[in-house]
Amino acid sequence: MPISRIGPGPALYRGRFAPSPTGPLHLGSLVAALGSYLDARTHNGIWLLRMEDIDPPRIQPGAASAILRSLEAHGFTWDEAIVWQSQRQAAYAEALARLRQTERVYACTCSRKDISRNARLGADGPVYPGTCRRHQHQSPHAAFRFFAPNAPIAFTDRLQGRVVCDLGRDLGDFVLRRADGVYSYQLAVVVDDAAQGITHIVRGSDLLVSTPRQIALQKALGLTTPTYLHLPVLLDAAGDKLSKQTLAAPLNNADPLPALLMAMRFLGQSDSHPPATLSEFWPWATARWSPHRLPRWRGAPLHAPTTPHSLSYP
Ligand code: GLU
Ligand code: ZN
């Protein structure tokens, strides 16, 4: 049975912004919101919001409503009802059950310690060594892992170009549901992007390492793969991604224009006549948006010169 759709039928362009409510919106998340929004609007597309409130220990009370207030104060408008991942357990359970039927999944009882003792380091932390692959554990306290496919996963990112990933070697069998019953980000995103009919994903390059896992799941579930554009992410002075964890300053809802202009400049979309008011900002930004101008780096500090394609990656 296909994943049931939320909302109306197919559109040519359906994009989304999918924040995790682990803290208020900051300049780094504004860059991703703005990039996905302008790309959707300039394609006459639909733009949706999804609240990724799936991982209870990481969620901060009040953060989801703070994010929504901030988006509104900055002039974002979204189409259709917000999807809350905390209410989508049944859909994730169904997808996991389908994958289990096709024997793409196995139960894993390894502790974090077991794994770090035996694993080598891959693209996103330790690569699970496959210890439980043949055990067929029945424990109710097991995690579920997806067998990484043997064939490489390849896709062409609209900005980063061709990406090829050997999942088995670089990332290993990944978790679909943790031992505490929480569904993984990888599974939830794939199920929800399909349910919301997302055709174009524009998000930060910090998630580029997740995309091959998501494509592998889409294939296993018989879902269409959307197109991807992974934007540069804003780095702090130490070279780390600006994030709620690094306590990036929240946006100032009382004065939204400076942050929006900074985000446009960071994305290489500015010109010599920036608008003076929020209401002038949106038509200007929509007219200005051109993915060809995006700098191709994956991460940069705010005041890096934003000459397009001045850095290239293999
Ligand atoms: N919720 C994820 C985050 O805040 C983004 C998910 C996505 O865009 O796929 O990092
Ligand atoms: Zn295991």
Side-chain angles (χ1 to χ4, degrees), residues 106-111 114-115 128 130-133 135 137 145:
Y106 62 95
C108 166
T109 54
C110 297
S111 67
D114 296 332
I115 296 171
Y128 180 70
T131 323
C132 296
R133 272 188 164 199
H135 286 174
H137 296 298
R145 284 185 187 273

Side-chain angles (χ1 to χ4, degrees), residues 104 133 146-153 165-170 173 216:
R104 304 296 299 269
R133 272 188 164 199
F146 182 74
F147 279 100
N150 292 326
I153 297 283
C165 173
D166 181 335
L167 273 181
R169 187 194 62 202
D170 301 337
D173 300 341

